Amino acid sequence: MTYSAHIDSFTRDNLPPESQQPEFLFELPELKFPERLNCAVPLLDQHIAEGRGERVCIQAPGVRWSYADLQERANRIANVLVKDMGLVAGNRVLLRAPNNPMMAACWFAVMKAGAVAVATMPLLRAKELKHVIAKAKVSHALCDLRLAEELKLAAVESPELKHIRYFNDSGVDGLESAMAKHATAFDTVDTARDDTCVLAFTSGTTGQPKATMHFHRDVMASCVCWPPHVLRPVADDIFMGTPPLAFTFGLGGLLLFPLSVGASTVLLEQGAPQDLVDAIATYKATILFTAPTSYRAIAPLAGPLRNSSLRKCVSAGEALPGATRDLWRETTGIEMIDGIGATELMHIFISADEAHARSGATGTAVPGYVACVMDDAGKPAAVGEVGNLAVKGPTGCRYLADERQAKYVKDGWNYTGDAYSMDADGYFIYHSRTDDMIISAGYNIAGPEVEDALLRHPKVAECGVVGAADDERGQIVKAFVVLKPGTQPSPELTKELQDFVKQTIAPYKYPRSIEFASTLPRTETGKLQRFRLR
Ligand code: 3UK
């Protein structure tokens, strides 16, 4: 038996069988982690131990916490969890809040107590929360008082969830008043590097969401691969952005990565375009994380960001259309850093920094990872050929008790479900999700390429391209288009857009059908819900 600090062995008992796990690579010297590792030590405790406790750590409207302030809160919450709420190491703790400082403090409390954080998207309803609680056997919950309603509904039907505390609550039963009764010291549990500390649920466009399992070493691996090699943040950086902390894109970009270099983060509950532009000025943010559509929505307001504090802009979650990359550069002077990540792999594994960015390409494999385009037989595809993206590195897919493990991991490789090609320089070019490839009259057409062409038309605000069933061609290319304010739909405009696409990319890819819409269906993580368009 290998060492584990977990008294509750649920996560260890529900790991996928060894034979179905991906191969893990730890070649980089910074990936040789000690056997005992709690990620709260390098990310938080160590800063205070080494004299950086007074540096700014987290800001939010009306809040400015130093590293020592965050540690003090996390320790008090850990004491509440263990002494008042009966938590033992290995228990799962549901976290539910918009991005705010208390959510971050709770996350670290869970790490320090050797428990497992199950952060949930703020918009989840009781029905979805119930699935999460049942799947992860959640026993404890820390929830923002303003999001109590749906959790209470779920709790009624979830016998395993026994202990709930609400925060951002001034009442006598609130987490804050319980915290006040406890010490500011807590002995961080000495977890194993391969003790699970995060269960991250996938957004699940089809079927029930899957719970991906991440160890303390996975959290630290995500901090030592992409950030220092591609983002290259410094201790004076001020991070900001929109992805929820319940989404590993947000957890990394807005909490783990800033703390891994002793920098600071600004946590915002509202991420509308004007809120973000204003907040960048107020807090002098230097690094921005958001999704491609959000960059496109901010662009009309982004003029003031030119020559401002902002120096790096990270795009992930969806393919970055070349049109959006160009628009952002023309507006702000900043070349975006695109990166593909996945909940299964924790964070970004293919990316390019601003100096190496190429329009239309996501980038090259991040140091620590290897990536390969495979043909349908699982053999490496030729240069330029479109196939299935497969990756390996220090992190990888472990679904908690789920048959779909065998679909994501094959021969040790993680298959992300994306259709990619690789060019002769090792740059990976995104085409579409493998399930979304449109097959029209025998041609394979990738929706995102058609979207990029449409987005370059001055009257198009947003668009989504899918395959629509067609008797003659099997499928036809169908575009849903949101027009810029002040533009009216018309048959002439349909023709104009079709001609525009034919002049931009191979004519057979043009949308034979165009439907005008006022908005497009998107997930909380900014992804277009193509299945709903279909
Ligand atoms: C798609 C991209 C093209 C791709 C994520 C950064 O998105 C994240 O995780 P999810 O599990 O989705 C994974 C899937 O999303 N995708 C993400 N980024 C890109 N496609 N270009 C991109 N830059 O289909 C991938 O398989 O929600 C992103 C960090 C952490 C994450 N969890």
Side-chain angles (χ1 to χ4, degrees):
M1 257 293 276
T2 52
Y3 172 82
S4 167
H6 284 185
I7 293 165
D8 172 348
S9 62
F10 172 79
T11 52
R12 200 154 280 233
D13 297 342
N14 284 287
L15 283 167
E18 198 74 40
S19 63
Q20 287 186 16
Q21 294 204 21
E23 188 187 337
F24 292 100
L25 309 176
F26 301 104
E27 260 122 72
L28 295 181
E30 54 269 42
L31 289 169
K32 312 232 181 274
F33 299 111
E35 275 176 31
R36 304 282 181 98
L37 177 69
N38 185 315
C39 67
V41 174
L43 294 175
L44 182 55
D45 292 348
Q46 201 165 305
H47 291 296
I48 294 102
E50 292 174 359
R52 292 183 292 276
E54 294 316 308
R55 284 185 62 87
V56 182
C57 180
I58 298 185
Q59 295 189 81
V63 179
R64 190 178 160 93
W65 287 354
S66 65
Y67 275 82
D69 292 332
L70 176 63
Q71 187 194 43
E72 182 189 312
R73 266 118 184 139
N75 285 352
R76 285 182 190 269
I77 299 167
N79 281 319
V80 173
L81 282 168
V82 173
K83 294 179 180 152
D84 297 351
M85 299 171 73
L87 178 106
V88 299
N91 284 167
R92 277 74 55 213
V93 183
L94 186 138
L95 301 175
R96 174 169 168 79
N99 286 2
N100 61 40
M102 276 299 284
M103 172 72 164
C106 289
W107 193 87
F108 274 106
V110 172
M111 295 303 117
K112 287 178 148 255
V116 181
V118 186
T120 56
M121 300 288 182
L123 291 181
L124 290 195
R125 297 287 193 165
K127 182 173 174 292
E128 295 141 319
L129 289 170
K130 240 177 70 181
H131 168 73
V132 168
I133 294 163
K135 180 86 206 177
K137 294 252 184 316
V138 169
S139 52
H140 295 70
L142 300 174
C143 175
D144 192 302
L145 185 62
R146 293 161 296 169
L147 296 179
E149 198 177 332
E150 296 290 327
L151 182 61
K152 283 182 175 161
L153 288 173
V156 173
E157 296 177 55
S158 304
E160 55 276 81
L161 176 53
K162 295 196 176 71
H163 312 273
I164 308 180
R165 284 289 161 98
Y166 296 97
F167 55 88
N168 290 325
D169 178 356
S170 52
V172 286
D173 300 326
L175 179 62
E176 281 85 350
S177 70
M179 287 163 70
K181 300 190 189 93
H182 284 283
T184 59
F186 180 84
D187 281 335
T188 299
V189 172
D190 195 19
T191 45
R193 66 181 167 203
D194 56 0
D195 277 332
T196 294
C197 62
V198 167
L199 290 180
F201 277 79
T202 60
S203 37
T205 48
T206 50
Q208 286 287 20
K210 296 162 279 214
T212 66
M213 314 175 74
H214 298 288
F215 299 163
H216 284 274
R217 73 159 202 244
D218 301 324
V219 168
M220 294 319 300
S222 75
C223 294
V224 300
C225 289
W226 179 78
H229 290 104
V230 182
L231 182 66
R232 285 176 279 110
V234 295
D236 286 332
D237 271 314
I238 300 170
F239 288 62
M240 181 182 285
T242 62
L245 293 175
F247 181 27
T248 60
F249 178 38
L251 179 67
L254 302 176
L255 191 60
L256 310 176
F257 303 164
L259 271 60
S260 73
V261 295
S264 72
T265 183
V266 180
L267 296 177
L268 300 172
E269 297 191 347
Q270 256 86 44
Q274 192 64 56
D275 299 328
L276 221 50
V277 172
D278 292 346
I280 291 167
T282 306
Y283 297 94
K284 302 204 167 29
T286 59
I287 301 183
L288 180 64
F289 281 76
T290 189
T293 41
S294 171
Y295 282 107
R296 205 170 159 86
I298 302 165
L301 312 168
L305 300 183
R306 186 178 278 276
N307 300 322
S308 72
S309 57
L310 194 63
R311 63 185 198 100
K312 286 174 189 273
C313 295
V314 179
S315 170
E318 257 203 326
L320 173 64
T324 303
R325 177 185 282 289
D326 293 346
L327 177 68
W328 193 255
R329 186 193 322 100
E330 284 152 20
T331 313
T332 66
I334 299 172
E335 189 70 66
M336 284 204 266
I337 302 173
D338 186 9
I340 177 174
T343 307
E344 288 82 352
L345 286 119
M346 188 92 196
H347 222 272
I348 294 174
F349 46 83
I350 292 174
S351 184
D353 67 17
E354 29 313 44
H356 296 90
R358 289 194 193 169
S359 199
T362 311
T364 55
V366 167
Y369 290 86
V370 290
C372 189
V373 175
M374 302 287 195
D375 64 19
D376 287 335
K379 298 265 178 314
V383 166
E385 201 181 301
V386 180
N388 306 309
L389 182 66
V391 285
K392 268 183 208 177
T395 60
C397 178
R398 305 177 199 100
Y399 290 137
L400 182 140
D402 202 304
E403 292 173 351
R404 291 168 288 186
Q405 176 76 16
K407 191 164 178 262
Y408 202 93
V409 177
K410 281 175 274 193
D411 308 323
W413 290 90
N414 297 277
Y415 280 82
T416 64
D418 296 293
Y420 261 87
S421 60
M422 192 188 75
D423 73 11
D425 301 328
Y427 274 78
F428 287 85
I429 294 138
Y430 177 83
H431 295 266
S432 73
R433 292 284 305 166
T434 43
D435 299 343
D436 289 340
M437 194 61 88
I438 303 164
I439 304 170
S440 184
Y443 286 108
N444 275 5
I445 301 168
E449 188 185 0
V450 184
E451 289 163 14
D452 184 40
L454 279 166
L455 288 174
R456 291 178 188 274
H457 190 283
K459 291 177 183 157
V460 174
E462 270 189 276
C463 67
V465 169
V466 296
D470 181 76
D471 286 343
E472 202 182 321
R473 296 170 183 270
Q475 284 186 312
I476 55 162
V477 176
K478 176 165 186 185
F480 291 82
V481 173
V482 178
L483 294 170
K484 290 214 177 133
T487 311
Q488 294 309 317
S490 68
E492 293 73 37
L493 183 55
T494 299
K495 175 95 180 23
E496 185 181 321
L497 293 175
Q498 289 172 327
D499 290 343
F500 184 80
V501 172
K502 287 185 196 169
Q503 280 156 25
T504 314
I505 54 178
Y508 70 87
K509 297 175 181 169
Y510 86 94
R512 283 173 193 269
S513 165
I514 293 184
E515 191 173 317
F516 295 100
S518 54
T519 55
L520 296 178
R522 290 193 185 276
T523 64
E524 245 188 297
T525 57
K527 287 190 217 299
L528 183 64
Q529 293 174 306
R530 289 170 200 280
F531 68 101
R532 286 179 61 189
L533 292 180
R534 282 193 291 261

